[in-house]
Amino acid sequence: MSDAAVLSNAQLNKRIVSVLIFTFFCYLSVGLPLAVLPGFVHNQLGFSSFVAGLIISVQYFATLMSRPHSGRLADRFGPKRVVMLGLICCGMSGVLSIVAALCRDIPLLSLLLLALGRVFLGVGESFSSTGSTLWGMNIVGPLQTARVISWNGVATYFAMAIGAPLGVLLNQWFGISGFAGLVALMGLVGFVLAYQKPPVSVTAGVRIPFHRVVSRVWLFGLALGFGTIGFGVISTFITLYFASRDWTGAAFALTVFSLGFVIVRLGFGRYITRFGGLKVSLVSFVLECAGLVLIWQADSAWLVDVGAFLTGAGFSLIFPALGVEAVKQVQQQDQGSALGTYSAFLDLGLGLTGPVAGLLISHWGMQSVYLAAALMVLGAFLITLRLQQQRGRRSAVQTAG
């Protein structure tokens, strides 16, 4: 019996949180600029809403490209080293954002520096988040995978809930350099804390080729990517959506989304183990789609807040529910690659959201992106339903055999 098997729930959670603090640092760094940068690029640098969405999406594309590598490196060299490298990249994004703010009188140079900072932040996100999750899985064992992924999401969206309004406040008080300085400081402090923690051993065993990992998890990832678009259109365009309607409180809508996420994750995360990841995902997609339709049809700010809460509540369990099913497709020595590949679809969904939604806005208006997102979530529901039906057929064949 492993050491983790005899630990209480509180002891297990303490072990998990001790490494997922680095996920919190990472996603606080991600959340701080979200409600600020689109307005800075559009209003102060003078670029279009398409460019404002693109500058946010640069981070997601960088995360997309680096996410599979983060998992493979963590499988080979251990998650501690990957987390430390990720925190350095997060800190560098803050430094580059400070320099970009100083160069605002040269808009193109400032934009390029922001883009480079977003690249560093994207790489930092993939390395810090994937490495922290694998670190947690290694210290509590494979039977606690759902618990680790769930706590990782709590750390992620609690950080986002704090980050959005805090970024607005720091920007009001100190400008771009306010939140960027905090990002740089967290990168440094996080690196020092990670360095002081003991590493975990790397699982031995023959690893399957990467393309076989992809073939086993891509449908789970595709459903995740479609389901992520609801979060993408809220986080990237809610400030511009509120401004287009002459409403205030866009940062509060981001906070309400994150609160819905955290409440459901803490209150209902155990249902993944009880009912299975696919069934939980199907219910979650219905709830998320309903929230997005409500935002699309809303005629007041409070209805948008309700829709944001429902969207966050629906999105809450999708990543761990499908993630648990995805990592089951491979052996433990390949779980880093599987988790990294699966997570990359989240980044792909977020990366495509900015520029595609920007084009939709220019042709059909700001509200159209929320209808489009609802349709994408419906597609995720259909993919997951197919996976559930395939599992049912396999179970029937095994029973008959």
Side-chain angles (χ1 to χ4, degrees), residues 63-64 67 130 221 224 319 338-348:
T63 307
L64 169 66
R67 184 83 77 172
T130 303
L224 172 68
F319 185 90
L339 182 62
T341 301
Y342 165 75
S343 301
F345 284 88
L346 181 148
D347 307 315
L348 179 61

Side-chain angles (χ1 to χ4, degrees), residues 262-275:
V262 172
I263 288 170
V264 170
R265 182 67 67 91
L266 290 176
F268 301 94
R270 64 186 183 278
Y271 287 3
I272 297 172
T273 302
R274 182 176 177 183
F275 297 108

Side-chain angles (χ1 to χ4, degrees), residues 35-49 52 239-240 243:
V36 176
L37 280 189
F40 177 76
V41 172
H42 183 60
N43 299 324
Q44 297 191 39
L45 298 185
F47 293 97
S48 67
S49 60
T239 53
L240 297 179

Side-chain angles (χ1 to χ4, degrees), residues 71-320:
R72 292 161 66 189
L73 289 172
D75 283 336
R76 180 170 298 183
F77 300 111
K80 175 180 175 176
R81 294 183 181 181
V82 171
V83 168
M84 292 169 62
L85 180 58
L87 291 167
I88 291 174
C89 291
C90 288
M92 280 299 302
S93 73
V95 173
L96 286 166
S97 296
I98 292 173
V99 178
L102 296 174
C103 298
R104 71 180 68 197
D105 292 335
I106 312 175
L108 183 58
L109 176 60
S110 180
L111 185 72
L112 292 175
L113 287 168
L114 284 177
L116 182 59
R118 300 294 290 173
V119 170
F120 271 99
L121 186 58
V123 175
E125 177 191 346
S126 64
F127 279 56
S128 298
S129 178
T130 303
S132 295
T133 305
L134 289 171
W135 204 345
M137 289 166 59
N138 280 327
I139 63 176
V140 298
L143 294 178
Q144 301 297 330
T145 296
R147 184 192 296 260
V148 175
I149 297 178
S150 292
W151 273 108
N152 185 73
V154 171
T156 296
Y157 289 95
F158 182 58
M160 299 285 280
I162 296 173
L166 180 58
V168 172
L169 288 176
L170 290 173
N171 182 61
Q172 290 174 349
W173 294 339
F174 307 108
I176 295 293
S177 299
F179 77 78
L182 180 56
V183 170
L185 179 62
M186 286 192 298
L188 176 61
V189 172
F191 177 86
V192 173
L193 292 176
Y195 177 79
Q196 294 174 343
K197 297 187 70 66
V200 292
S201 58
V202 179
T203 303
V206 178
R207 295 182 171 85
I208 62 176
F210 181 65
H211 68 87
R212 290 182 59 190
V213 175
V214 175
S215 69
R216 295 183 184 187
V217 305
W218 76 274
L219 272 178
F220 299 93
L222 188 62
L224 172 68
F226 284 167
T228 300
I229 291 175
F231 165 61
V233 295
I234 290 178
S235 64
T236 304
F237 290 101
I238 200 69
T239 53
L240 297 179
Y241 180 51
F242 269 66
S244 71
R245 308 291 291 274
D246 294 322
W247 295 339
T248 60
F252 180 71
L254 285 170
T255 299
V256 167
F257 171 92
S258 298
L259 288 176
F261 183 102
V262 172
I263 288 170
V264 170
R265 182 67 67 91
L266 290 176
F268 301 94
R270 64 186 183 278
Y271 287 3
I272 297 172
T273 302
R274 182 176 177 183
F275 297 108
L278 296 178
K279 290 181 180 178
V280 170
S281 297
L282 289 171
V283 176
S284 297
F285 286 132
V286 170
L287 190 59
E288 182 183 1
C289 188
L292 290 166
V293 170
L294 184 57
I295 295 175
W296 169 52
Q297 288 291 292
D299 57 5
S300 64
W302 74 267
L303 281 176
V304 174
D305 292 337
V306 173
F309 182 87
L310 290 175
T311 304
F315 181 57
S316 178
L317 296 181
I318 290 171
F319 185 90

Side-chain angles (χ1 to χ4, degrees), residues 315-330:
F315 181 57
S316 178
L317 296 181
I318 290 171
F319 185 90
L322 290 175
V324 166
E325 302 295 336
V327 298
K328 285 180 182 178
Q329 311 304 310
V330 299

